[in-house]
Structures are given as structure tokens and as C-alpha cells.
Amino acid sequence: MSAAVSPGAAPEPSPAPKLDPREEAPRIPSPPYRRPSLRSAVGILVLFVLFGSLFYPAAITGLAGVVVPHNADGSLIANPNGTWQGSSLVGENITDPHLFWLRPSAADYLPFQGAGDSSSYGPTDPMLRNVTLRYIAEYGLTNVSVPLDLVSASASGLDPDLTPGAVLVQVPRVAFEDNLTQNWTTRFVLAHIETPYAGIFGPQYVNVVELDLALVHALALMGRPLPVPSGELSSLCPSGGEPCTAGS
Amino acid sequence: MFDLRSLLDVGLAILIVLLIAPFLGRYMAKVYMGRPSLLDALLDPLETAIYRFLGTHPRVAMGWKEYAASLLVLNAVATAFVYALLVAQGSLPMNPLGAPNMSWDLAFHTSVSFMTNTDFQHYTPEHQLSMLSALLGLMMLMFLSAATGLTVAAAFIRGFVRRDGTVGNFWVDITRTLTRILLPLSLLGAFLFALAGVPQTFTGSITYFPLSGGVHILPLGPVATWDAIEFLGTNGGGYFAANAAHPLQNPSAVTNFLAVIMMLVIPFSTIFTFGHMVRRPGESWPLLVTVLTIFLVALGLFMYFELSNPFLAGVATQNSGYLYGAETRFTIPEDALFQVSSIYANVGATSMVLGALTPVAQSTLLFGMFLQSAPGGDGTGFGMLLIFTILTVFIGGLMVGRTPEYLGKKIGQPQIKWATVTILSHPFAIFVPLVVALVSGLGAVAAGTGPHAFTVLLYEFTSESANNGSGMGPIQDNTLFFNVAGAVVMLVGRYLPILAMLAIGGSLASQDTLPPGPGTLRTQSATFALLLLGVLLILTGLLFLPVLALGPLSQIGVGGL
């Protein structure tokens, strides 16, 4: 048995006697080389698949499904007719002038696209200015000072949030289109500002997906339901009966 | 300006990492030294069965060559397995969104990328990766690559205490890394992520009908479990293309906070593991102070230069900071903490678009990948730090005119030879493909021209050589050249340093330990920390400042920047 000792837990071999240890550290012959075992390698692979790929996700999926089912499913919002309206975490390409808009998106808010960073310009690329100016024009905000987040693409292309300033700057348009007072609309927005969690985590922001849903709901309660946007949603609404608005 | 309260978030995250690290580091040392721990009752019988299954005996230790060969064989087998999965995924089960088979070069790049702890993604996960490939292939590799890195660190450190030429039993080390370190931490981390709002389901997608009209597909999956090992394993590949910027992968400032802690905790703990394994816990402190200094300075620089982009002044207001290519739900300090942690710990996850960062912020990130060791990825980051430490001891020894020694082991020609090769291999692996890309015109096709395009290309190869995995778009890199060249760069950037670390460890293990003499450089001192800091910054600066000047720094002065 030529193999030397030591699992992780090797007892220290007693120091060899030295004449003058500072002169020359005696070289110890290398332990024998054995060819690595393929069986061990395949065995480790099986082990990592069993634990890392199967046991680990299955255990957490089971646990999360019981403890936090809403989170585990993706924080989904249901339509009244039982279909999904989306996730409160994922932004939408809202272009209806009656509603608050989100940031421009390289992915058009299509999660399946997986935009990644395809939208970026360098920090001093003239396009950075040009694109920003174009968005300001598209959002119809050339006469006011516009917060950058409203007129710049997010990293994910799916950002559902805006800074409070970026929502408030849209109040005149939304109030006009929905025939609301600016005062009421402003207070409505202010009531939907999320504050930093536990006082320190995150900024003040507004989840615009939830804000618009609440707005649609509030307008419906006032007896002024919004026309349903074009698209397949209308075909799913029950014909006749109640006005088909999203949100409950 | 941002909300000053989020500086508390940043401070708290770093504080928690520093509070956990001594304990986790000590525990990890126990794992590698085979000392008793709480999990023994549960895991000892299991591991005994595993060793029997593997056909290895836990008391048989290996020399460095056998250790390295075992590591390489395992990594090769695993890469081949995942490569086969990826090129055939279209016809395999668990493919809810119909991902097609990957081309050979993309599969090569992807399997190598995840095996080398790089996780550079030339594919779009949403429509180019099946759930089977994600779970059985890439998530398995995320565990395996992190475990590989940690075993290397353990073997390297053992060189300083052993005197029989052995560095440990690779099969035992990698098993225990999984069962005692990565799996328990990942289970905890994934559960915390799920609690904080990250999805965790085997449903591949849902169809939804948004307020804005239309029918869309929302990809879902076991994101919480993916996240935990992505960050704890310093892997950094995203379940979604947008990675940690994606609202389902990093839905709130709380998950951002958890992610930062998970990214940093193992790299910082390893510094303490070292002190315990060499039985001189005090030796950890100068290394920790050096790493922490670099990390905090980088964080401060990044944060300051992301407060606004003067180039956009007058176009739009930046009251909340420079939010171009950032997500609204994170403040600038939180973004900075995430990004600097991710790059300096060689994770490579991104919570913002890196291309639009200001030049100094870009340079800060590049510098972290040039260093690779502040604190660097799981295991290998500490290995790089130890290589720099050995060089510092050597230089310090030359200064006082004595034979350099560290922890009672002589630092001589074999160690310095390997250390030099490692440090030179990094610029070599970056610059050779960079020059090829530039001269051949392939770089211009993929990234365009100009200083920013140069930065993007430099970033691509730096990230691959450092096994970081973040990308600075826009770049069309799913091409034959970038896939094959990238894979080769990742292999060199991973396995050459690993071989060097094992070789140095092995050569040190073959030496007897010397008692400290009058000429021995005292390494448990502030002076030594300062010397190490100087060596790290000066060596890295000498090697890489020229390319930084050609890329991001050349944009300073443009448009008020």
C-alpha cells in the first residue's frame, strides 16, 4: 500500500529530524500517480445530477408551493374570466392614452423575446441623446422636464415600475383623457407609491401595472368603464352582460 | 440624488457578509479537514455509501498530479454530457417552449461556459434552452463548477500544512463540498428567494392576456433554485436572458440584497477557511483587509460615477440617478453593490445594462476582472489571491535579501514559475483573440467600430478569461468565431490557473516546514497587507492599463464626461 495518508483529517506527521533546517528543506518523494478512475468521475456526475438537478429543485418547489404558492407561481394576476392577465412583476406595453405608460422597451414587453442587453448604446454615443429625445417627443413631453427613467429603456425590457416623478409627469394627459381632475389623479398616483421595504430596501416607486389596473377598476366603479383595448382579450369577454374590464 | 437610506442597505449587506464569513469559513475548514460537525449524523452514512459507489477510499490521499487529472477527467465527462444534452434538446422531453437543438459551436461554448464557472451566455434562455437542459445540464454544472473551484482552493491550501506530498482525495473533497457546503446553503438560499417573491415552479410558461391587449407567453420555471446556486456558486448565468435585471429573477430590492450576500459569502469565507486550515487564523486578516479595501474602493467609484451621466444633462432629469439601462426598483447604490459584487466575485450576473455605464464605472468593472481575486469566484478567486500573496512574499523576501518563505514553506523557483505563468496567461488569453477579432474584422462585424466597440470586445474576452460571464452588449456573439474562440479562452482562463494552483500546492506539500528565522517576512502585519495591495494593483495596472486607456478611458472628456 503505497498511498500516503490523510483524508481531510490527516494527523500531522512528526517533523523529521533536521540538522540545519534553514539550509535546505529536504524534498519528500512525490506520492505515486494513479490513473484517475472513470468510474469515480461518472459516479460524481450521477451524484450531482441526483442532488443538484433533481432533489434540490423538487424539494424547494414542493416547499415553496405550500408556503408561498402565489410567489412560486410567478405572482400572477387573474382575469375575471379565469385566464391570466399577467404578472404584477412584469411590465406591459401599455399604449392606451387613458392609462399611465411605462418605459420604452427593447423587447416590446414580450417576455418570451428575452431581450437581454441588446438595446444599449455606449455612454457617449450620440444615439443615446437622440433616442432619448425621440422618446420624449413620442411621449408628448417636450415642454416639461422629464425624468430619465420614463424615456430610457430598462435593462430587462420588462420593468413594471416607474419613479413617482415619471408617473406624475403623465398626470395631465391621463386626467384629460379620462375626464378626471388633475388633483384627483395626482392623489390617486400618490396613494400608489411604494415606499422602501423596511425603510431601507429599494427606492420610492410606482408599480404601473398595478396602478393601471386600479385605475381601470376605479373608472368602472365611477360608471365610466374604459373601452377594452384591441386584441384577443375582447374576444374572450362574455358577449353581452357586464362591461369587460380587466381587474376584478 | 438617490435616497440616502439605501446606503444603509448597502452597508448592512456588507456587514452581514463579514459577520457570516468567519463562521462559514471555519465550518468550511472543518469540512476539508474532516473534523466533526453537526451534519455528521446525517451525512456520514450517506457519504460512506457514496464513496463505496465511487470506488474510492476516503483515507487514500492523492499527489497533485493525480488530483488534477481526476479533476480534469470529471470536468471533461460532465462537459461532454451537457454538450450531448444541448445538441439533442429539441428531441428530448421537458421542452415546453420548443427550444431547438443547439448548433455544435453554441453547445460547445455553452457547456464549456457553465463547466468553467463562467456562464457566459451566447444563447437566449427563453427560446433556446429546454427545461431539461436547464435542470439536468446547466444547473448541475453550476454545482459542479463551484465545487471544483472550492476543492482546488482546499488542495492548494493543504500544500502549506502537509509534508507528505499529498493534497487530498479529490473524490472525497468534491462530494463533501456538495453535501456539506453547496447543497445546504443553496436549499436555504432558494427558500429565502421564494419567500421574497422569486417564482419556483416546474410549469414552463403560461399564456396571458394583458391589459394592453394581445396574447403573450410568460416563461417561468424553477427560478428560485436556479438563482441560489447561480449566486452562491459564483456562476452568474441567468435563468432569463436579462439575468438579475429580469423582474422574475430579481423581483425586489430584498432579493437584490439576498443575492449580494450569496455572491460574496463563500469567496469571503474562503479567506477565513485558509487561516483555519493552516492553523494560523491570524494569517487571514491581512488578506481580508487587502481584498476588502479594493472591493470598497471599487464600490465607491462605481457608485459615484453612476449618479448621473453628464452627457445626458439637459435632455432628461436624473433626480433618481442615472437610470439608463437600469431597473426602477433598485436605487443607484443597490445597483452599484450588486454589479460590483457580481463582477469582483466573478459571478457575472447583471442587474443593469453594462454598455451604457459611464467610462469610469466600466473601467472599474474591467479592473475587477483583471484582478480576479478581490475576492474572485468560489475557490479559484482565493487561489489567485494566494498566488499574488506568494509573489508578494517572494518580492518581500528579495527586498530583505533572504530566501522567501510563507507559512514555513520556501517560495522558490517552481512556485514562482507557476505563479508567473498564471498571471501572464490572463492578458495572453484576452489579447490574442482580441487582436484576431480586430485584425480580421470579425470584431467590427459583431460590435461595430469606435472606442465603445473596442470596450465591448475587450469586455467579452476579459469576462471569458476571468470566468466571469457578464457581457457588455450590444454584440452579435453567437457566431462560429466567438463561440469557438470564447470557449478556448474560457478553458485557458480556467484550467491553467487551476493546474498552477494544484502544482504549487503539490510542490509545497513536498517540502518540510521550516521554523521562522530572523529573516522571515512577518505576514501577519499591516505592512504585509499594504505590500500585497501594492503588488496586486501595480502588477494588474502594468498589464492592463494600456487597454483600459484604449477603451473606456478614452471616452472621458467626451460630452462633459
Side-chain angles (χ1 to χ4, degrees):
Chain A
M1 185 64 201
S2 52
V5 275
S6 321
E12 287 300 313
S14 57
K18 295 179 280 278
L19 293 175
D20 183 355
R22 301 217 52 82
E23 284 307 312
E24 183 61 41
R27 280 198 63 82
I28 293 149
S30 299
Y33 175 80
R34 288 159 300 219
R35 278 233 317 278
S37 132
L38 196 61
R39 171 184 161 190
S40 300
V42 173
I44 289 286
L45 186 64
V46 171
L47 183 73
F48 274 70
V49 166
L50 282 178
F51 281 95
S53 304
L54 303 176
F55 165 74
Y56 166 58
I60 297 295
T61 306
L63 191 62
V66 173
V67 182
V68 277
H70 175 70
N71 291 357
D73 291 341
S75 305
L76 299 176
I77 310 170
N79 276 323
N81 60 7
T83 58
W84 295 119
Q85 125 99 77
S87 165
S88 62
L89 299 175
V90 177
E92 295 175 16
N93 191 14
I94 301 164
T95 51
D96 188 336
H98 297 88
L99 299 175
F100 291 97
W101 297 337
L102 274 165
R103 311 171 65 174
S105 163
D108 274 333
Y109 289 97
L110 298 176
F112 187 56
Q113 293 281 0
D117 354 308
S118 55
S119 66
S120 75
Y121 300 106
T124 59
D125 191 330
M127 283 300 288
L128 196 65
R129 284 179 77 103
N130 295 345
V131 165
T132 311
L133 288 168
R134 199 184 82 213
Y135 284 133
I136 291 176
E138 278 178 16
Y139 279 73
L141 295 168
T142 37
N143 298 326
V144 285
S145 124
V146 189
L148 180 64
D149 54 313
L150 184 61
V151 289
S152 64
S154 62
S156 63
L158 301 171
D159 193 349
D161 307 316
L162 284 176
T163 59
V167 184
L168 290 172
V169 81
Q170 302 182 54
V171 160
R173 169 179 57 80
V174 173
F176 174 78
E177 294 285 345
D178 291 340
N179 202 12
L180 301 164
T181 64
Q182 288 206 19
N183 197 345
W184 185 90
T185 316
T186 304
R187 276 189 284 118
F188 184 76
V189 170
L190 293 179
H192 283 85
I193 292 179
E194 311 267 351
T195 51
Y197 182 78
I200 62 168
F201 297 102
Q204 287 202 336
Y205 66 94
V206 179
N207 183 317
V208 176
V209 173
E210 288 176 350
L211 177 75
D212 279 342
L213 268 180
L215 183 62
V216 167
H217 186 49
L219 289 170
L221 282 180
M222 289 178 207
R224 292 185 290 172
L226 285 181
V228 171
S230 62
E232 278 88 322
L233 180 56
S234 45
S235 67
L236 289 162
C237 292
S239 53
E242 291 194 58
C244 182
T245 51
S248 50
Chain B
M1 221 18 210
F2 51 86
D3 193 333
L4 281 171
R5 282 180 295 184
S6 61
L7 285 177
L8 288 175
D9 173 359
V10 171
L12 190 64
I14 295 172
L15 187 69
I16 288 180
V17 169
L18 293 179
L19 285 178
I20 297 175
F23 296 99
L24 183 60
R26 189 158 146 249
Y27 169 75
M28 282 162 59
K30 280 185 179 177
V31 169
Y32 292 117
M33 296 163 85
R35 293 273 168 80
S37 79
L38 277 179
L39 293 171
D40 284 350
L42 182 67
L43 292 178
D44 275 348
L46 177 72
E47 284 163 359
T48 309
I50 291 170
Y51 300 147
R52 198 169 301 134
F53 172 61
L54 297 176
T56 190
H57 194 285
R59 299 199 76 82
V60 175
M62 302 172 175
W64 80 267
K65 283 179 188 159
E66 188 184 349
Y67 199 95
S70 307
L71 182 151
L72 292 177
V73 167
L74 171 61
N75 279 209
V77 167
T79 311
F81 168 70
V82 174
Y83 175 87
L85 262 183
L86 294 176
V87 292
Q89 64 178 0
S91 36
L92 293 173
M94 277 184 84
N95 187 5
L97 290 173
N101 294 340
M102 278 194 190
S103 65
W104 75 267
D105 53 313
L106 182 59
F108 178 48
H109 186 274
T110 305
S111 50
V112 167
S113 178
F114 278 75
M115 185 68 260
T116 54
N117 205 252
T118 314
D119 301 40
F120 207 113
Q121 293 166 295
H122 282 179
Y123 66 94
T124 307
E126 280 87 342
H127 45 90
Q128 284 178 292
L129 192 73
S130 76
M131 195 185 278
L132 186 78
S133 303
L135 284 175
L136 221 56
L138 302 187
M139 202 153 91
M140 181 274 290
L141 285 188
M142 293 207 287
F143 276 99
L144 188 58
S145 64
T148 301
L150 286 169
T151 60
V152 170
F156 190 3
I157 296 170
R158 285 185 190 127
F160 288 97
V161 271
R162 293 203 176 177
R163 284 168 284 180
D164 57 4
T166 67
V167 293
N169 181 321
F170 177 71
W171 308 118
V172 173
D173 284 345
I174 198 142
T175 304
R176 288 170 71 92
T177 308
L178 176 70
T179 55
R180 290 167 186 262
I181 299 172
L182 291 178
L183 199 57
L185 288 179
S186 299
L187 284 166
L188 177 65
F191 184 59
L192 290 177
F193 272 133
L195 285 184
V198 181
Q200 176 66 24
T201 168
F202 285 116
T203 308
S205 71
I206 57 143
T207 305
Y208 69 105
F209 304 88
L211 200 55
S212 47
V215 184
H216 296 329
I217 296 169
L218 183 66
L220 289 166
V223 188
T225 43
W226 178 285
D227 261 11
I229 187 61
E230 170 187 348
F231 298 130
L232 281 165
T234 64
N235 288 289
Y239 190 83
F240 301 106
N243 213 328
H246 196 292
L248 291 178
Q249 217 184 316
N250 192 4
S252 71
V254 174
T255 54
N256 199 61
F257 175 78
L258 290 172
V260 166
I261 293 174
M262 288 187 211
M263 289 194 281
L264 295 179
V265 74
I266 292 182
F268 273 104
S269 298
T270 314
I271 298 176
F272 290 97
T273 305
F274 167 70
H276 287 287
M277 284 182 76
V278 300
R279 297 180 180 85
R280 297 178 204 187
E283 292 289 344
S284 299
W285 291 103
L287 305 188
L288 178 75
V289 168
T290 306
V291 167
L292 199 59
T293 306
I294 296 174
F295 181 83
L296 292 178
V297 169
L299 179 62
L301 271 177
F302 189 99
M303 206 183 288
Y304 179 77
F305 283 96
E306 280 302 291
L307 289 181
S308 72
N309 182 347
F311 189 71
L312 283 176
V315 177
T317 59
Q318 302 178 50
N319 292 333
S320 309
Y322 175 39
L323 284 181
Y324 191 96
E327 298 281 299
T328 317
R329 62 190 177 280
F330 311 127
T331 63
I332 295 294
E334 285 161 353
D335 268 328
L337 177 66
F338 185 96
Q339 217 46 72
V340 171
S341 303
S342 168
I343 303 304
Y344 275 65
N346 261 339
V347 179
T350 49
S351 68
M352 59 202 306
V353 173
L354 304 186
L357 297 177
T358 58
V360 176
Q362 289 183 355
S363 308
T364 307
L365 297 188
L366 279 164
F367 202 79
M369 294 192 290
F370 296 150
L371 281 170
Q372 301 194 78
S373 53
D378 281 358
T380 44
F382 181 76
M384 287 303 299
L385 182 66
L386 211 44
I387 284 183
F388 276 108
T389 307
I390 287 173
L391 271 180
T392 308
V393 167
F394 185 72
I395 291 167
L398 294 184
M399 282 175 173
V400 295
R402 293 297 182 109
T403 316
E405 61 192 57
Y406 186 46
L407 304 171
K409 299 279 188 168
K410 276 192 179 175
I411 306 300
Q413 191 220 14
Q415 291 81 28
I416 295 303
K417 200 173 63 190
W418 279 107
T420 313
V421 167
T422 306
I423 285 165
L424 289 179
S425 71
H426 194 33
F428 186 77
I430 296 168
F431 297 156
V432 169
L434 180 62
V435 169
V436 171
L438 289 172
V439 171
S440 66
L442 290 164
V445 171
T449 52
H452 184 60
F454 180 83
T455 310
V456 169
L457 288 169
L458 171 68
Y459 198 98
E460 170 104 1
F461 292 119
T462 305
S463 171
E464 286 174 328
S465 179
N467 300 133
N468 182 284
S470 56
M472 180 177 278
I475 180 168
Q476 305 301 318
D477 51 13
N478 181 15
T479 62
L480 187 65
F481 170 74
F482 280 99
N483 284 334
V484 175
V488 173
V489 170
M490 290 188 284
L491 289 170
V492 173
R494 176 72 169 177
Y495 293 106
L496 209 147
I498 282 184
L499 282 180
M501 291 166 199
L502 294 176
I504 296 174
S507 67
L508 293 175
S510 310
Q511 288 181 19
D512 207 345
T513 308
L514 301 169
T520 303
L521 185 71
R522 279 191 53 236
T523 48
Q524 275 188 51
S525 65
T527 321
F528 184 73
L530 206 61
L531 194 61
L532 176 60
L533 184 68
V535 168
L536 270 168
L537 296 182
I538 291 169
L539 270 184
T540 310
L542 285 175
L543 289 170
F544 292 103
L545 272 184
V547 283
L548 276 187
L550 284 174
L553 294 181
S554 69
Q555 287 175 291
I556 291 179
V558 178
L561 272 167

